[in-house]
Amino acid sequence: KIAEGRSTGGRAPLGYVYEVVGQDSNGKAMLGWLVKSADAPVVAEAFVKYAAGELGTPGRVADFLNAAGLTTSHGNPWSARNVRGFLMNEVYAGVRVYNRRGEKGEVVSSQRIEGAHAAIVEPWMWRKVQGMIAPKGPSAPRTRGEGHVLGLGLLRCGRCGKGMTRGAANGYQTLR
């Protein structure tokens, strides 16, 4: 379905709807990629205000979304808990992730498609919000800059070519 430019199902996130690309033999609509809906400007404004500090907590973002008359995909009012998932959803930066699950429900493989659909917020703004919503305090992983030192764990060993893994030494994050 992905190769054909069709959706693999599920509910569309707030601010998006699935485009209808045709009908199958049973008359059921075949869904394509995500396109922006009428709620997209409110979603973008929520991200901008959160990044600017005007809506300092997920609870205030929930109040903003509820005041705009928006509900979750299940029709419930927004709360601080489900706003965290909303703010952390990479789909708003134009990225779509498809996970293939095994027999026990565990993710076996995933496919990440950047630019799969129109982004509601710019990728740099989405990354800024991720830094703001990340856990803070002594139990949070220490980071420097926009990610873990040396490329967010994407660094490969020059000798053997294996991926470096994160570890900790004396309270600091390291790569081995």
Side-chain angles (χ1 to χ4, degrees):
K1 285 185 175 183
I2 295 168
E4 296 172 3
R6 293 175 36 207
S7 167
T8 59
R11 290 189 169 105
L14 178 66
Y16 286 107
V17 293
Y18 287 110
E19 66 177 332
V20 177
V21 294
Q23 290 185 342
D24 64 5
S25 60
N26 296 328
K28 186 176 176 184
M30 293 189 317
L31 303 177
W33 294 117
L34 294 170
V35 293
K36 292 180 185 179
S37 71
D39 301 332
V42 178
V43 170
E45 187 178 357
F47 271 88
V48 168
K49 286 187 174 190
Y50 185 79
E54 292 178 41
L55 303 172
T57 64
R60 289 187 180 161
V61 176
D63 294 340
F64 174 78
L65 294 173
N66 289 328
L70 302 179
T71 60
T72 65
S73 61
H74 293 284
N76 299 324
W78 288 94
S79 67
R81 186 175 190 176
N82 52 21
V83 163
R84 285 185 57 80
F86 161 76
L87 291 173
M88 292 169 42
N89 195 345
E90 202 172 5
V91 72
Y92 295 111
V95 176
R96 195 76 172 136
V97 178
Y98 295 97
N99 293 325
R100 192 171 65 89
R101 300 195 179 271
E103 293 177 12
K104 297 179 181 175
E106 74 281 2
V107 175
V108 177
S109 67
S110 64
Q111 183 177 4
R112 192 171 184 273
I113 303 172
E114 294 193 36
H117 54 269
I120 290 180
V121 296
E122 295 294 325
W124 66 267
M125 170 97 47
W126 184 83
R127 284 191 305 273
K128 180 177 181 180
V129 168
Q130 299 319 293
M132 294 173 69
I133 203 163
K136 309 222 178 357
S139 63
R142 291 188 176 192
T143 59
R144 182 178 294 158
E146 288 216 3
H148 293 278
V149 182
L150 299 175
L152 197 58
L154 300 175
L155 184 68
R156 298 224 169 254
C157 175
R159 189 170 178 197
C160 66
K162 298 211 176 198
M164 305 291 274
T165 59
R166 290 187 304 184
N170 299 325
Y172 291 95
Q173 291 278 331
T174 60
L175 292 173
R176 304 181 221 173

